[in-house]
């Protein structure tokens, strides 16, 4: 029964993604607003599954959740690509950069923090226990911190691109992300987004070489088979060599993730996605990413004996409901702050 209930999540997600999609016969929709919206909607649900507490985990959920690092890499790709596109299209983009970026990133984070406080209060009233500290209100998710770091680097580099040229600016962006990833791996916590932040590099390269990338991922049977076999071999190699410092744990994981993304792009680059369900998930994807831990904490505290399948299904549905509310409130506030 646990597996059947868990299976509802990927099946429902697949229906949401695939319903109404069609083959365009060209790549005009690749990485446009509707494409990335659907991609965000699918990725945010998979990320929930990787964070299910061990007490409620099962093999199906764990298998699907193992692709979550690829999903976070895709989030970073879309962020870096989108920022470069916006900067290239609008000369005034940097003028209001911080006001727009900070409001979009931090207002949802603050609302999630408030929901954490409410969640702790609910747990305290029903079960007793500790109260949230003031630090809860000012907490910033690690993913958001990486985006803020990149925003600062992007702003400084882009500000000076008139002196050293566009290509040099893009190279500086790539080097900055690569160095930060290596520093995090060798000097700090290897799990602190050092793998996924390479998505920022891929996003810059996607912006620079979009025509070539389109040719690379133009779908045909040979490419799909090639990327699929390469991904399978790299996946098997990663399982074997994961304990090997740097070469297995770091390089192999990054290359495997990029191979999976190339396979995904090859399968989807000529398709048009979009329906009310996946658009809705795409719109609330940022809130889903930030808030799913709140739902898990409250659920596991109030109903500790829930079976695995029930816990997973309720977590996903509860996160979507909470995120929809937070997004509705946050969108109003962000619009008032942005220019």
């Amino acid at each position: 029964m646990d597996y059947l209930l868990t299976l509802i999540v990927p099946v429902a997600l697949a229906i949401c993604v695939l319903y109404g999609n069609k083959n365009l016969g060209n790549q005009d929709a690749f990485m446009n607003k509707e494409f990335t919206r659907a991609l965000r909607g699918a990725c945010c649900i998979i990320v929930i599954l990787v964070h299910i507490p061990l007490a409620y985990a099962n093999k199906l959920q764990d298998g699907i959740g193992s692709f979550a690092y690829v999903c976070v890499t895709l989030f970073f790709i879309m962020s870096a690509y989108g920022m470069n596109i916006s900067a290239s299209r609008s000369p005034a983009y940097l003028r209001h950069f911080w006001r727009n970026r900070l409001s979009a990133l931090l207002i949802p984070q603050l609302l999630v923090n408030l929901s954490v406080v409410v969640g702790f209060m609910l747990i305290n009233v029903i079960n007793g226990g500790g109260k949230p500290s003031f630090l809860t209100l000012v907490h910033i998710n690690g993913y958001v911190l990486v985006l803020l770091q990149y925003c600062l680097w992007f702003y400084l580099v882009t500000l000076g691109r008139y002196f050293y040229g566009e290509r040099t600016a893009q190279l500086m962006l790539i080097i900055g992300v690569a160095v930060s990833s290596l520093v995090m791996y060798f000097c700090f916590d290897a799990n602190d987004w050092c793998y996924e932040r390479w998505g920022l590099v891929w996003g810059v390269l996607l912006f620079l070489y979009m025509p070539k990338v389109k040719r690379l991922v133009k779908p045909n049977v040979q490419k799909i088979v090639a990327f699929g076999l390469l991904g399978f071999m790299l996946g098997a190699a990663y399982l074997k060599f994961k304990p090997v410092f740097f070469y297995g744990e770091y390089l192999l994981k990054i290359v495997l993730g990029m191979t999976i993304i190339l396979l995904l792009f090859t399968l989807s680059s000529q398709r048009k996605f979009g329906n009310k369900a996946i658009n809705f998930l795409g719109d609330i994807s940022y809130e889903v990413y930030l808030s799913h831990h709140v739902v898990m904490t409250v659920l596991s505290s109030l109903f500790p004996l829930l079976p695995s399948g029930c816990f997973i299904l309720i977590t996903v549905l509860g996160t979507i409901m909470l995120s929809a509310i937070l997004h509705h409130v946050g969108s109003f506030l962000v619009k008032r702050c942005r220019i």
Side-chain angles (χ1 to χ4, degrees), residues 7 13 70 84 90 110 142 160 163 181 199 210 240 248 271 273 291:
L7 190 62
L13 181 60
V70 178
N84 274 286
S90 173
L110 176 60
F163 300 101
S181 174
M210 176 58 88
K240 182 176 181 179
R271 306 202 72 85
F273 297 92
S291 68

Side-chain angles (χ1 to χ4, degrees), residues 120-183:
F120 268 110
M121 292 173 62
L122 180 63
I123 293 170
N124 189 52
V125 168
I126 297 176
N127 290 346
K131 298 179 179 179
S133 67
F134 171 76
L135 293 177
T136 303
L137 287 174
V138 295
H139 168 77
I140 299 180
N141 184 277
Y143 167 73
V144 181
L145 285 174
V146 175
L147 284 178
L148 289 172
Q149 292 165 17
Y150 182 73
C151 284
L152 176 60
W153 183 235
F154 177 86
Y155 179 80
L156 294 174
V157 169
T158 307
L159 202 62
R161 73 185 186 275
Y162 301 107
F163 300 101
Y164 39 71
E166 186 66 33
R167 289 283 172 167
T168 302
Q170 300 299 332
L171 181 60
M172 290 173 66
L173 288 176
I174 291 170
I175 292 174
V177 174
V179 169
S180 72
S181 174
L182 291 168
V183 168

Side-chain angles (χ1 to χ4, degrees), residues 195-209:
Y195 316 107
E196 296 88 348
R197 72 175 67 199
W198 273 91
L200 297 168
V201 171
W202 311 142
V204 173
L205 292 175
L206 184 62
F207 169 74
L208 286 174
Y209 302 107

Side-chain angles (χ1 to χ4, degrees), residues 44-45 48 108 111-112 115 276-277 279-292 295 315-332:
C44 71
I45 301 301
I48 296 176
L111 292 174
V112 170
S115 70
K276 289 184 178 180
N279 290 345
F280 169 71
L281 288 178
D283 288 341
I284 67 171
S285 59
Y286 184 54
E287 288 81 2
V288 167
Y289 184 89
L290 293 178
S291 68
H292 63 276
V295 177
T315 293
V316 172
L317 294 174
T319 301
I320 291 172
M321 292 172 62
L322 175 61
S323 299
I325 296 171
L326 296 177
H327 179 75
H328 180 73
V329 176
S331 294
F332 171 78

Side-chain angles (χ1 to χ4, degrees), residues 11-86:
V11 170
L13 181 60
I15 293 172
C16 287
V17 172
L18 298 176
Y19 180 78
N21 89 95
K22 54 186 177 182
N23 187 3
L24 296 176
N26 58 58
Q27 295 174 302
D28 292 347
F30 179 57
M31 290 302 292
N32 68 4
K33 184 177 180 181
E34 288 73 24
F35 184 94
T36 55
R37 201 180 189 185
L39 196 56
R40 290 197 310 270
C43 287
C44 71
I45 301 301
I46 296 174
V47 169
I48 296 176
L49 298 180
V50 77
H51 293 136
I52 296 295
L54 188 60
Y56 304 98
N58 61 58
K59 291 183 179 179
L60 177 59
Q61 157 269 320
D62 186 56
I64 299 170
S66 65
F67 292 95
Y69 88 97
V70 178
C71 296
V72 178
T73 303
L74 284 165
F75 280 135
F76 283 132
I77 288 175
M78 289 182 279
S79 295
Y81 178 75
M83 288 168 65
N84 274 286
I85 286 290
S86 297

